[in-house]
Amino acid sequence: MKAALKKVFKHWELFLVVFLALEFVVFGTANPKFLRPQSIMNSIVNYVSVCIISLFVTLVMITGGIDIQAPSIIGLTSIIIGVLWSDMGMNVWLAVAIATAAAALCGALSGFFIAYCGVQPMVVTLGGSFLYSGLALVVSSMSATPAYQGISGFPAKSDAGAYVDFRFLGKGNILGVPTQIVIYVALIVLCVWLLHRTKYGERLYLAGVNQQAAEYSGINTRAVIMSTYILSAVSAALAGTLLTANVNSAKYNLGSGYTLAIITAVVLGGTLNTGGKGSILGTVLASLIICILRYGLPLCFGVSTQNLDLPVGIILVLVVLGREIAGQHMLARVFKRRKAST
């Protein structure tokens, strides 16, 4: 069993491609409506925020860290945009820029505590998720609109009926392809180049494999690690902006349920939670697998949307357990204990 698992994990990205293809076969057979291109495209658009953040959380986890505060930054970004535009009369694009800068500062703060103060990433980002969610609620109290309603009415359509201005980010199309998907593809290319074609990417892997050795080789690993949390926060700001433009509502709790999906996408994609290994392609494939799973189960098998976190959680546990068995010889240790007890 251990040898079989090792083979699977050795060709993990190929396994993900096969798994994704099987999803299309199973769901398409169960319900032919699943295969409608427009429906699949819409499902990806609805999930693209998770896909975008997963790309940059991959960078964080390659260094041996973890980021569970990104969903709270989505809400913070969204409500800052809404309050600045609606209640303070600011240009929407300037509001987006200020919200993105605020998100970057949030990432820098968490990254500083992790990289320069040596605090555990889980502790810092868990605290950050509560802190930034609280800040988002405080900002929402500055608006004349009740927090539960959300701020809506962003610049939308032209006289011709096409989405323009801010709403174009969430609802527009470029050559027939939704704007959000175009942005996502561009970010995939950027992350692949950054991780696999630059010295910065090499430093990320080295920091994850052995931070002390990387320091001895002249790499400022603390600055590298801190930068990954800034990039992750900026990606969350972008996701929050796109989500706000898509649903036409700025809310303090937007994206609050994304944590499990983001971490699962990164881990399922082959990134080690201990650092030193990971790929953008794996994360992209894993994100699509989860996206299609969440789209296909309700449509084809009537699974309630409230229960969709269950299969995602099961996938996360199975992947981590499989890695432990394949890489850490868990079965051998179990059998040794049994023999010793007998």
Side-chain angles (χ1 to χ4, degrees):
M1 181 178 180
K2 183 179 69 177
L5 284 173
K6 279 187 175 182
K7 289 182 180 179
V8 171
F9 283 103
K10 186 177 180 180
H11 305 285
W12 186 245
E13 291 171 357
L14 178 60
F15 170 77
L16 293 177
V17 172
V18 173
F19 194 99
L20 184 61
L22 283 175
E23 282 188 328
F24 277 92
V25 171
V26 172
F27 291 139
T29 303
N31 189 341
K33 293 181 180 179
F34 170 85
L35 297 175
R36 292 176 178 174
Q38 189 60 46
S39 298
I40 295 174
M41 196 80 74
N42 289 337
S43 70
I44 296 174
V45 167
N46 293 333
Y47 202 69
V48 78
S49 296
V50 171
C51 298
I52 288 173
I53 297 173
S54 299
L55 294 175
F56 292 90
V57 173
T58 299
L59 306 185
V60 173
M61 294 188 68
I62 285 175
T63 66
I66 192 170
D67 188 356
I68 59 175
Q69 69 187 13
S72 64
I73 295 178
I74 292 177
L76 179 60
T77 301
S78 177
I79 197 63
I80 288 176
I81 293 172
V83 170
L84 291 180
W85 172 76
S86 177
D87 294 271
M88 298 187 181
M90 190 175 292
N91 177 276
V92 68
W93 296 111
L94 181 57
V96 169
I98 292 174
T100 303
L105 287 175
C106 293
L109 178 64
S110 298
F112 175 79
F113 284 121
I114 292 166
Y116 289 91
C117 301
V119 185
Q120 288 294 321
M122 176 65 78
V123 175
V124 173
T125 56
L126 178 61
S129 67
F130 288 111
L131 173 62
Y132 305 140
S133 294
L135 285 175
L137 189 57
V138 170
V139 173
S140 70
S141 67
M142 300 177 184
S143 175
T145 305
Y148 68 88
Q149 286 186 1
I151 300 169
S152 58
F154 289 97
K157 292 184 177 181
S158 65
D159 295 335
Y163 283 100
V164 295
D165 208 81
F166 180 69
R167 292 296 307 283
F168 179 77
L169 291 177
K171 289 291 189 179
N173 290 278
I174 299 176
L175 300 177
V177 180
T179 308
Q180 294 194 62
I181 294 181
V182 173
I183 293 173
Y184 178 49
V185 172
L187 289 174
I188 292 173
V189 174
L190 173 64
C191 287
V192 169
W193 172 78
L194 196 65
L195 189 59
H196 301 293
R197 294 290 184 270
T198 66
K199 290 185 178 180
Y200 176 76
E202 293 177 3
R203 291 168 181 170
L204 289 180
Y205 284 110
L206 289 172
V209 172
N210 191 321
Q211 184 176 348
Q212 189 174 11
E215 285 281 354
Y216 287 147
S217 66
I219 298 173
N220 187 349
T221 57
R222 289 178 294 182
V224 169
I225 290 171
M226 181 176 173
S227 70
T228 61
Y229 289 92
I230 296 174
L231 289 174
S232 178
V234 171
S235 74
L238 175 60
T241 302
L242 295 177
L243 197 56
T244 302
N246 186 34
V247 301
N248 191 29
S249 179
K251 278 188 167 185
Y252 73 94
N253 60 350
L254 211 61
S256 58
Y258 287 171
T259 303
L260 175 63
I262 292 169
I263 299 301
T264 303
V266 179
V267 174
L268 178 61
T271 303
L272 292 179
N273 55 312
T274 53
K277 183 181 178 182
S279 74
I280 297 301
L281 176 58
T283 298
V284 171
L285 290 171
S287 299
L288 291 177
I289 285 173
I290 297 172
C291 173
I292 296 302
L293 189 70
R294 295 178 70 94
Y295 163 58
L297 286 176
L299 178 65
C300 302
F301 298 104
V303 177
S304 171
T305 54
Q306 297 177 345
N307 297 325
L308 290 179
D309 280 342
L310 179 60
V312 176
I314 291 173
I315 289 173
L316 178 60
V317 172
L318 289 177
V319 170
V320 173
L321 182 62
R323 281 194 188 144
E324 180 69 15
I325 293 174
Q328 302 298 329
H329 311 294
M330 177 186 285
L331 287 180
R333 293 203 300 268
V334 171
F335 286 129
K336 284 180 180 179
R337 289 174 185 170
R338 286 184 178 178
K339 288 180 180 180
S341 62
T342 55

